[in-house]
Amino acid sequence: MTQTTEAAAVQQPPQPTRVRVHRAWFVAAVTFVTIIGAAAFRSVPGLLIDPLHDEFGWSRGTIGAAVSVNLALYGLTAPFAAALMDRFGIRKVVAVALTVIAAGSWLTVWMTAAWQLMLYWGLLVGLGSGSMALAFAATVTNRWFTARRGLVSGILTAASASGQLIFLPLLSWIIDRYDWRPAAVTVALAALAVVPFVWLLLHDHPADVGQKPYGAAEFVPKPPPVPGAARRAVSVLLSAVRTGPFWLLAGTFAICGASTNGLIQTHFIPAAHDHHMPLQAAASLLAVIGVFDVVGTIASGWFTDRFEPRRLLAVYYALRGVSLMFLPLLLGPAVHPPMIFFIVFYGLDWVATVPPTLALCREHYGEDSAIVFGWVLASHQVGAAVVAFLGGVARDTFGTYDVVWYASGALCAAAALMALVIRRRAGDVAATV
């Protein structure tokens, strides 16, 4: 009997080894969906400028000022949010942030004065969205991944563009067919819909589920909560401002924000409308930017794992500046092939700057890189806020956006030169082109 049993055991085919997907990829997927939900609100400001101007008689400069408050707070909140995540955990901070976004968007339905737009869309949505900024993606990437960080950074950055792709056509259709108020309610519901997924599925650290970070050789214990979130965010800033790379990264990223969120995302639709392009056509073009933004950002993450990030940044900014110089010649009542080429080209370059910028923050600032990147992102949004406001003022003053396109193109050229000046950290062995 024993011999028969042993023979059967020998003859039994080996059982296939089950390949388990690392939990980090599930966390990255939940983060991706969360950022998509939060990105709904970012699709709205450019769509609201003309409807609010027509209904309330507010100047484009006034509406642009509210958008600029939103954009500035989006950036200035990010470093404190990264520190709060170290103190209270990612899940709690993100769930509260989504709820604040929903409240701010919902309250705009009943506004009757410009200061209410500043309060609801500027302050509340700005604070909530700032906690959902790219510092959130940086925190998840740093905690859950050791390998493939550039690729994951690109994927999570692309999530914002995916939200734009999903919501821009829908919201423009709602505004065109009904009113801007149902669009605001849609944004509120979209933010709230993501909260249960965050609360149930978004784990704070690999140690919470007994796993190593993806690509790590050893188990990493969960660090204790870090008290004094605001104090830590400020102390990291005070340390970073003593270094040259911080100012160059902040300066280039400010120009990045000025030429994307502040300029194209806020003013492209009203600028196209000035040239008699239908609202839905202009919104669809902006959504197409989101399509190619996903491709460009993921590709940039892949490039960042393999090539010198400084040179990548220089190329990205130079190409963006050239494209902006041609935009005034392309705007018109109809969508023609040169405009489609601009949209594809600009989409590929939209936030391709994020993975190499984040890589440079990690290179120079190590464990504090998520908070440093939060401050660099703050400069991005300050740049966006300035151009969101000045773009509206320029339109009110000159009756055209042309001067803003040309000025932004020149700024991008300056950013390309600044990127090349960023020094390499001593002893760094990153790959170069």
Side-chain angles (χ1 to χ4, degrees):
M1 182 68 111
T2 304
Q3 293 179 349
T4 304
T5 304
E6 290 177 354
V10 171
Q11 295 174 1
Q12 184 177 1
Q15 296 295 320
T17 302
R18 178 179 296 179
V19 178
R20 297 185 61 185
V21 178
H22 195 284
R23 185 67 66 88
W25 294 109
F26 291 103
V27 172
V30 174
T31 304
F32 186 89
V33 173
T34 303
I35 295 175
I36 285 178
F41 81 94
R42 298 184 61 194
S43 304
V44 176
L47 298 173
L48 292 182
I49 291 178
D50 285 335
L52 294 179
H53 174 73
D54 293 339
E55 178 172 339
F56 297 108
W58 300 337
S59 71
R60 290 175 177 82
T62 298
I63 301 169
V67 176
S68 71
V69 171
N70 177 294
L71 292 172
L73 286 176
Y74 176 86
L76 293 172
T77 305
F80 296 98
L84 285 172
M85 289 177 189
D86 288 340
R87 175 65 178 88
F88 298 104
I90 299 174
R91 179 168 53 184
K92 292 179 182 178
V93 173
V94 173
V96 171
L98 286 166
T99 305
V100 172
I101 289 172
S105 182
W106 189 278
L107 288 170
T108 57
V109 172
W110 291 279
M111 69 181 177
T112 56
W115 67 265
Q116 293 170 325
L117 179 65
M118 299 271 189
L119 175 62
Y120 302 149
W121 206 268
L123 180 63
L124 292 181
V125 177
L127 287 173
S129 62
S131 301
M132 296 293 303
L134 293 175
F136 166 44
T139 301
V140 170
T141 303
N142 288 349
R143 290 188 183 184
W144 281 90
F145 291 87
T146 299
R148 307 295 185 190
R149 280 179 169 176
L151 177 62
V152 175
S153 298
I155 292 173
L156 296 183
T157 302
S160 181
S162 300
Q164 176 176 298
L165 166 64
I166 293 168
F167 288 102
L168 260 179
L170 172 64
L171 295 174
S172 65
W173 178 82
I174 292 173
I175 292 173
D176 191 52
R177 186 175 180 86
Y178 299 103
D179 188 24
W180 62 268
R181 290 177 177 82
V185 172
T186 301
V187 170
L189 294 177
L192 283 177
V194 183
V195 173
F197 294 97
V198 170
W199 195 255
L200 295 174
L201 300 175
L202 188 61
H203 297 283
D204 288 330
H205 195 275
D208 291 339
V209 292
Q211 289 194 338
K212 300 179 292 185
Y214 179 81
E218 299 178 354
F219 181 81
V220 178
K222 183 177 180 178
V226 181
R231 189 185 314 112
R232 184 182 177 212
V234 173
S235 65
V236 169
L237 172 64
L238 293 176
S239 175
V241 296
R242 299 188 183 97
T243 65
F246 174 82
W247 291 106
L248 291 169
L249 288 169
T252 55
F253 225 41
I255 294 172
C256 179
S259 56
T260 52
N261 300 93
L263 182 63
I264 297 294
Q265 189 167 37
T266 304
H267 294 293
F268 177 79
I269 292 176
H273 192 61
D274 283 347
H275 289 77
H276 310 291
M277 184 180 292
L279 175 65
Q280 284 186 265
S284 297
L285 287 176
L286 203 56
V288 171
I289 285 180
V291 176
F292 289 94
D293 182 10
V294 174
V295 177
T297 308
I298 294 175
S300 179
W302 187 86
F303 289 142
T304 301
D305 285 333
R306 290 160 175 79
F307 301 112
E308 171 57 52
R310 296 154 189 78
R311 297 184 186 180
L312 289 176
L313 285 178
V315 171
Y316 296 156
Y317 285 121
L319 293 176
R320 184 184 298 179
V322 170
S323 66
L324 285 172
M325 292 292 187
F326 283 97
L327 182 57
L329 304 176
L330 303 178
L331 288 169
V335 179
H336 43 77
M339 173 58 79
I340 295 175
F341 179 80
F342 169 84
I343 292 297
V344 172
F345 187 87
Y346 207 84
L348 291 172
D349 200 351
W350 181 269
V351 285
T353 55
V354 173
T357 301
L358 183 52
L360 290 170
C361 285
R362 280 196 296 265
E363 175 185 323
H364 286 277
Y365 303 105
E367 292 298 322
D368 291 331
S369 61
I371 297 178
V372 172
F373 182 72
W375 285 112
V376 172
L377 179 63
S379 71
H380 181 282
Q381 294 308 115
V382 170
V386 170
V387 171
F389 172 66
L390 293 181
V393 172
R395 173 59 179 81
D396 290 332
T397 303
F398 302 108
T400 178
Y401 284 103
D402 287 359
V403 65
V404 186
W405 307 130
Y406 293 131
S408 296
L411 284 174
C412 288
L417 295 175
M418 292 167 65
L420 292 174
V421 174
I422 300 173
R423 63 176 176 81
R424 295 186 63 188
R425 187 183 177 99
D428 180 53
V429 293
T432 57
V433 177

